[in-house]
Amino acid sequence: MSKNILMLPGDGIGPEIVTQAQRVLEKLNKDLSLDLTLSSALVGGAAIDATGVPLPDVTLAAAKKADAILLGAVGGPKWDKIDMAIRPEKGLLGLRSEMQLFGNLRPAILYPQLASASTLKPEVVSGLDILIVRELTGGIYFGKPRGIRVLENGEREGYNTYVYNETEIRRIGKVAFEAAQKRGKKLCSVDKANVLEVTVLWREIMDDMAKDYPDVELSHMYVDNAAMQLVRAPKQFDVIVTGNMFGDILSDAAAMLTGSIGMLPSASLDINGKGMYEPCHGSAPDIAGKGVANPLATILSVAMMLRYSLEKPEAADRIEKAVSLVLDQGFRTPDIYSDGLNKVGTVEMGDAVIKALDNI
Ligand code: IPM
Ligand code: MG
């Protein structure tokens, strides 16, 4: 039966990179008769400009109907001044929350070809292969009450609520323990249990769950230490599980270990494995429209989609091999460029991956 894939290009470099990922998906759809039907919709600033809101009802309805979603990026300076409630980011957060995409998988893998693109010494990062499992629909991002209020003395006060219930912690814990079972069997849960009660509970529940996964070695780390360890000795980690905000921050740091955030895909899954796939990076307004953005994170997000939501692991393998081949061949967008290699733009990188698909 045909499966529906919804493309949400969004803002900034989003449309450029999604176009290349779509070409890759369309090629595989044809070559491997995947029977996928592709459509697209507006989200983020693009949706605000066209309809006044970042997540139009038609987009949400199409997302709920789709078997999988590919998102580019949202946001940009053009919409920075508008009301918080309808900022482009709310489009993304609304999709995550409405579709209950609580399980965010953010792999940070160093391609050997890019060892010199990292700002860290090659021996610190070579062979790096970390998976960050970030809780995506709870925590301080969604906790209530929240807002900015005026106090009796006339001063304004901003406030948010950091909250996790037991069900939410167990749900993400299960994703993380199971992921660790399929990898190096080491899970590090990151919290701030020396200060925040919500993470005291988080730690207690992770410890309790560990009894059901005797093959996984569970450890705990405070988030400040985890940030330091990620840049000091990142290879000590296999799978990291953490809450929404800590995961947001640590995944950017982990991404940079690999040389460029432009290489990293992500998956956001619901309880049934239905998912939204997106590059870890943002809309990069500074380079939008210049044709220089790296489309590989989005192309690799298509691979994750094929693997996690569409049950086409062999198609996913093909994409990952093609990406590795174009790196071997020396193709580099500016973010991963080093002397002597072949500097290319967004479309040429897409061309190279498509050509590579025929050569593997
Ligand atoms: C991310 C982004 C988002 C987040 C923004 C764009 C709302 O930084 O996916 O990491 O904070 O989750
Ligand atoms: Mg982020």
Side-chain angles (χ1 to χ4, degrees), residues 48-341:
I48 296 174
D49 289 350
T51 70
V53 292
L55 180 56
D57 290 344
V58 282
T59 300
L60 183 59
K64 285 187 170 163
K65 244 182 47 210
D67 294 287
I69 301 163
L70 184 73
L71 182 130
V74 296
K78 181 174 176 195
W79 306 280
D80 269 355
K81 296 247 144 49
I82 60 178
D83 183 14
M84 190 81 179
I86 55 155
R87 279 176 66 115
E89 287 78 0
K90 286 283 176 193
L92 178 57
L93 295 172
L95 277 168
R96 289 174 180 172
S97 143
E98 289 283 336
M99 299 179 61
Q100 278 298 295
L101 304 171
F102 68 92
N104 186 210
L105 309 182
R106 298 193 162 185
I109 295 167
L110 183 85
Y111 284 82
Q113 301 94 324
L114 298 182
S116 63
S118 174
T119 47
L120 272 74
K121 295 193 193 94
E123 64 267 28
V124 176
V125 289
S126 70
L128 185 84
D129 182 356
I130 301 178
L131 176 67
I132 297 191
V133 178
R134 168 187 175 195
E135 200 292 328
L136 205 58
T137 53
I140 199 164
Y141 270 52
F142 292 94
K144 289 196 176 112
R146 63 187 298 157
I148 300 174
R149 60 191 162 208
V150 183
L151 300 175
E152 272 174 16
N153 66 4
E155 191 187 8
R156 287 185 308 155
E157 178 180 75
Y159 58 101
N160 288 87
T161 303
Y162 190 2
V163 56
Y164 270 119
N165 63 40
E166 195 163 345
T167 308
E168 290 171 315
I169 301 170
R170 285 192 187 276
R171 195 170 65 165
I172 194 69
K174 181 167 185 281
V175 172
F177 275 104
E178 287 178 1
Q181 277 182 322
K182 292 192 199 118
R183 295 174 38 107
K185 300 190 169 39
K186 271 171 54 186
L187 177 62
C188 179
S189 171
V190 171
D191 62 37
K192 189 69 187 172
N194 50 346
V195 179
L196 303 173
E197 285 81 354
V198 45
T199 66
V200 172
L201 180 67
W202 177 285
R203 188 178 278 223
E204 198 184 300
I205 289 173
M206 290 295 162
D207 274 333
D208 185 48
M209 292 187 78
K211 295 178 202 142
D212 296 331
Y213 300 90
D215 51 333
V216 175
E217 181 197 315
L218 174 70
S219 62
H220 303 278
M221 202 179 272
Y222 298 140
V223 63
D224 48 350
N225 187 22
M228 182 178 78
Q229 296 300 335
L230 266 177
V231 291
R232 192 188 74 86
K235 281 189 273 181
Q236 69 186 282
F237 297 108
D238 175 23
V239 179
I240 291 176
V241 62
T242 190
N244 207 341
M245 184 165 67
F246 296 162
D248 179 44
I249 299 165
L250 294 181
S251 61
D252 266 27
M256 202 52 221
L257 302 174
T258 70
S260 169
I261 196 168
M263 292 300 298
L264 297 183
S266 78
S268 308
L269 305 173
D270 75 1
I271 199 106
N272 302 312
K274 174 171 165 174
M276 178 160 79
Y277 298 81
E278 51 181 307
C280 277
H281 59 71
S283 59
D286 54 324
I287 57 165
K290 296 191 178 149
V292 295
N294 185 349
L296 293 179
T298 319
I299 290 171
L300 289 166
S301 298
V302 171
M304 286 190 96
M305 173 194 285
L306 289 160
R307 181 165 287 121
Y308 288 101
S309 288
L310 303 175
E311 281 142 39
K312 299 284 181 204
E314 56 308 318
D317 283 349
R318 284 179 72 89
I319 294 183
E320 284 158 2
K321 284 197 187 117
V323 167
S324 197
L325 182 59
V326 302
L327 295 175
D328 283 341
Q329 291 166 337
F331 292 102
R332 298 285 189 277
T333 42
D335 56 311
I336 50 174
Y337 176 75
S338 50
D339 278 350
L341 295 167

Side-chain angles (χ1 to χ4, degrees), residues 8-75:
L8 298 174
D11 310 319
I13 58 171
E16 297 165 63
I17 53 180
V18 167
T19 300
Q20 298 314 310
Q22 179 163 349
R23 289 175 65 206
V24 169
L25 187 56
E26 275 166 353
K27 173 168 173 59
L28 288 175
N29 193 19
K30 196 163 108 234
D31 291 357
L32 305 178
S33 307
L34 299 178
D35 200 9
L36 305 176
T37 307
L38 276 52
S39 60
S40 77
L42 295 172
V43 73
I48 296 174
D49 289 350
T51 70
V53 292
L55 180 56
D57 290 344
V58 282
T59 300
L60 183 59
K64 285 187 170 163
K65 244 182 47 210
D67 294 287
I69 301 163
L70 184 73
L71 182 130
V74 296

